[in-house]
Amino acid sequence: MAKGIDVGTMNIISSQQEGSETVFVQQRNSFVEIEYSDMAEQMLSRSEVLHIRKGDTVYVVGDDALNFANIFNKETRRPMQDGILSRDESSAIPMIQLITEQVVGEPRYEDERLFFSSPADPVDSDYSTLYHEKTLESMLSDMGYDPEPINEGMAVIYSELADHNFTGLGISFGAGMTNICLAYYAVPVMKFSIARGGDWIDEQTAQATGTPVDKVTSIKEEDFALDFETDVGGVEGALAIYYENLINYVIENIEGEVDEEDIEEGMDVPVVVTGGTSMPDGFDDLFAEHLNEADLPFSISGVHSVDEPMYSVASGALVAARSEEDQQETTEETSEEPAETESEA
Ligand SMILES: Nc1ncnc2c1ncn2[C@@H]1O[C@H](COP(=O)(O)OP(=O)(O)O)[C@@H](O)[C@H]1O
Ligand SMILES: [Mg+2]
């Protein structure tokens, strides 16, 4: 049995098959540093708070980081920025390791396959994703897994375009990045990322309106919709402007990157938009509207949103891992293999 994991700037989410169900486990990819005190000790012992203590310092990690930050009047920090391990954060690796261990658990047997999402290189910044990918790979190996990176956009195609022969354009709008992949029968023909996503929208809106970023994020996540009926001059109005700007920016980059040779003539390409940033009502319609005006060497059969945008990447990583396993089983059916450790089919 194999597993999948989505390592995102804001959320780390694992996926595994249990019987006929896919089970997801999620934590915030964030932490807070507080001073050790009696009050901290009491709070830490009360529940299963993920933390590391180093002398007088305690790092509270994952979902609880925000609660502790509020109570102790501290800022949360993030191991990742713009889709990759943060260069400004020396504690990034131990923090992400603790979150990952909690989310994915121990391997069920040695060298269990684990497909982890990895971003494509961004077209609009000069960071490379290589260091990020290799670091995660060795971290997961140290945990006892046999890890394999899967492109984040490709993971979207695996989870959402199975009914279209794994053919189409998958777009994952995350916090730190947007990942874009065009695949043709499960073979990626174009993939890239841009170093903008939900965080960028929040930062720009905060700057434009003089509102704290955290406040902007919570307004956005609560009941913001892209209906353009709201609030000219307010936070929601600014959010709508930057949402539209991000959408146009993604489409311009698709126009720039896509090649005529990539596409079979006369093919209608389905498009899937997913990820936390695609969640506001009206997002898919707005995206479709702008995509229709784009100059592309192929036609679009439709823009689809998904039921659970937070889980697309984790789910696709699992689909890819399991399909590799199935293929191996068929090719190795006659050779001698170690006994299977799982019971379900
Ligand atoms: N209901 C919502 N409406 C709008 N944005 C949301 C909503 N829920 C989460 N988000 C945003 O989605 C992003 C996180 O999405 P996710 O796909 O988990 O990103 P990543 O993979 O980069 O961690 C954040 O920018 C967050 O603010
Ligand atoms: Mg993600």
Side-chain angles (χ1 to χ4, degrees), residues 88-99:
D88 305 331
E89 186 52 79
S90 57
S91 312
I93 293 166
M95 298 303 145
I96 212 167
Q97 183 167 354
L98 191 63
I99 299 169

Side-chain angles (χ1 to χ4, degrees), residues 149-222:
I150 173 168
N151 171 261
E152 177 166 337
M154 196 57 221
V156 169
I157 287 166
Y158 273 114
S159 61
E160 312 299 346
L161 289 175
D163 295 347
H164 294 84
N165 298 315
F166 304 109
T167 295
L169 189 61
I171 311 179
S172 169
F173 287 89
M177 265 191 171
T178 302
N179 270 271
I180 296 106
C181 181
L182 177 67
Y184 199 57
Y185 295 105
V187 177
V189 291
M190 170 198 81
K191 54 181 194 244
F192 67 93
S193 70
I194 61 171
R196 289 185 192 177
D199 289 341
W200 180 84
I201 291 175
D202 298 355
E203 284 151 19
Q204 299 297 315
T205 302
Q207 257 183 26
T209 60
T211 313
V213 174
D214 289 342
K215 175 92 178 134
V216 169
T217 309
S218 62
I219 293 172
K220 180 189 73 175
E221 292 180 4
E222 255 151 48

Side-chain angles (χ1 to χ4, degrees), residues 8-11 173-176 198-199 217 220-221 243 275-277 279-280 310:
T9 307
M10 186 178 268
N11 293 294
F173 287 89
D199 289 341
T217 309
K220 180 189 73 175
E221 292 180 4
Y243 251 102
T277 297
M279 281 167 82
M310 299 301 270

Side-chain angles (χ1 to χ4, degrees), residues 177-293:
M177 265 191 171
T178 302
N179 270 271
I180 296 106
C181 181
L182 177 67
Y184 199 57
Y185 295 105
V187 177
V189 291
M190 170 198 81
K191 54 181 194 244
F192 67 93
S193 70
I194 61 171
R196 289 185 192 177
D199 289 341
W200 180 84
I201 291 175
D202 298 355
E203 284 151 19
Q204 299 297 315
T205 302
Q207 257 183 26
T209 60
T211 313
V213 174
D214 289 342
K215 175 92 178 134
V216 169
T217 309
S218 62
I219 293 172
K220 180 189 73 175
E221 292 180 4
E222 255 151 48
D223 56 8
F224 169 69
L226 283 160
D227 50 17
F228 292 91
E229 284 168 9
T230 38
D231 197 23
V232 177
V235 170
E236 301 209 329
L239 280 169
I241 289 169
Y242 288 108
Y243 251 102
E244 194 163 27
N245 192 271
L246 176 68
I247 285 173
N248 279 326
Y249 184 64
V250 168
I251 292 172
E252 274 166 29
N253 277 288
I254 294 172
E255 286 174 330
E257 293 293 314
V258 82
D259 246 323
E260 244 158 286
E261 302 93 79
D262 293 344
I263 302 295
E264 188 173 282
E265 208 168 315
M267 197 178 97
D268 284 339
V269 175
V271 180
V272 172
V273 293
T274 187
T277 297
S278 75
M279 281 167 82
D281 282 349
F283 182 91
D284 49 340
D285 291 340
L286 187 63
F287 192 84
E289 203 181 290
H290 286 272
L291 194 63
N292 272 334
E293 296 159 6

Side-chain angles (χ1 to χ4, degrees), residues 26-330:
Q26 174 173 0
Q27 285 276 344
R28 282 253 161 168
N29 196 356
S30 112
F31 67 98
V32 64
E33 184 178 332
I34 56 174
E35 261 170 50
Y36 188 78
S37 63
D38 289 347
M39 180 172 160
E41 157 84 58
Q42 259 194 3
M43 286 184 59
L44 290 169
S45 61
R46 217 179 298 149
S47 55
E48 287 184 359
V49 177
L50 273 186
H51 66 281
I52 303 176
R53 186 175 162 192
K54 278 191 189 155
D56 284 343
T57 306
V58 183
Y59 297 91
V60 177
V61 178
D63 289 354
D64 290 310
L66 192 60
N67 298 333
F68 276 76
N70 289 336
I71 293 165
F72 290 89
N73 202 17
K74 296 274 184 175
E75 297 271 312
T76 56
R77 285 150 56 184
R78 294 225 197 125
M80 280 168 58
Q81 202 189 354
D82 300 337
I84 56 174
L85 282 166
S86 171
R87 290 141 299 162
D88 305 331
E89 186 52 79
S90 57
S91 312
I93 293 166
M95 298 303 145
I96 212 167
Q97 183 167 354
L98 191 63
I99 299 169
T100 304
E101 281 168 357
Q102 200 277 332
V103 161
V104 81
E106 295 198 342
R108 286 169 282 200
Y109 49 90
E110 212 184 304
D111 287 336
E112 183 177 16
R113 276 300 249 175
L114 175 57
F115 276 47
F116 66 100
S117 67
S118 182
D121 279 331
V123 289
D124 57 349
S125 83
D126 51 9
Y127 337 133
S128 145
T129 57
L130 182 74
Y131 174 74
H132 169 81
E133 186 173 300
K134 291 292 172 197
T135 306
L136 287 182
E137 195 166 350
S138 65
M139 186 185 87
L140 297 169
S141 298
D142 289 348
M143 287 165 59
Y145 285 99
D146 176 12
E148 178 72 28
I150 173 168
N151 171 261
E152 177 166 337
M154 196 57 221
V156 169
I157 287 166
Y158 273 114
S159 61
E160 312 299 346
L161 289 175
D163 295 347
H164 294 84
N165 298 315
F166 304 109
T167 295
L169 189 61
I171 311 179
S172 169
F173 287 89
M177 265 191 171
T178 302
N179 270 271
I180 296 106
C181 181
L182 177 67
Y184 199 57
Y185 295 105
V187 177
V189 291
M190 170 198 81
K191 54 181 194 244
F192 67 93
S193 70
I194 61 171
R196 289 185 192 177
D199 289 341
W200 180 84
I201 291 175
D202 298 355
E203 284 151 19
Q204 299 297 315
T205 302
Q207 257 183 26
T209 60
T211 313
V213 174
D214 289 342
K215 175 92 178 134
V216 169
T217 309
S218 62
I219 293 172
K220 180 189 73 175
E221 292 180 4
E222 255 151 48
D223 56 8
F224 169 69
L226 283 160
D227 50 17
F228 292 91
E229 284 168 9
T230 38
D231 197 23
V232 177
V235 170
E236 301 209 329
L239 280 169
I241 289 169
Y242 288 108
Y243 251 102
E244 194 163 27
N245 192 271
L246 176 68
I247 285 173
N248 279 326
Y249 184 64
V250 168
I251 292 172
E252 274 166 29
N253 277 288
I254 294 172
E255 286 174 330
E257 293 293 314
V258 82
D259 246 323
E260 244 158 286
E261 302 93 79
D262 293 344
I263 302 295
E264 188 173 282
E265 208 168 315
M267 197 178 97
D268 284 339
V269 175
V271 180
V272 172
V273 293
T274 187
T277 297
S278 75
M279 281 167 82
D281 282 349
F283 182 91
D284 49 340
D285 291 340
L286 187 63
F287 192 84
E289 203 181 290
H290 286 272
L291 194 63
N292 272 334
E293 296 159 6
D295 178 22
L296 295 172
F298 51 85
S299 61
I300 303 291
S301 65
V303 173
H304 311 275
S305 54
V306 310
D307 289 340
E308 295 193 288
M310 299 301 270
Y311 295 153
S312 291
V313 174
S315 164
L318 181 63
V319 172
R322 286 173 52 92
S323 91
E324 181 202 67
E325 246 177 5
D326 288 348
Q327 276 169 17
Q328 277 172 355
E329 267 163 35
T330 13

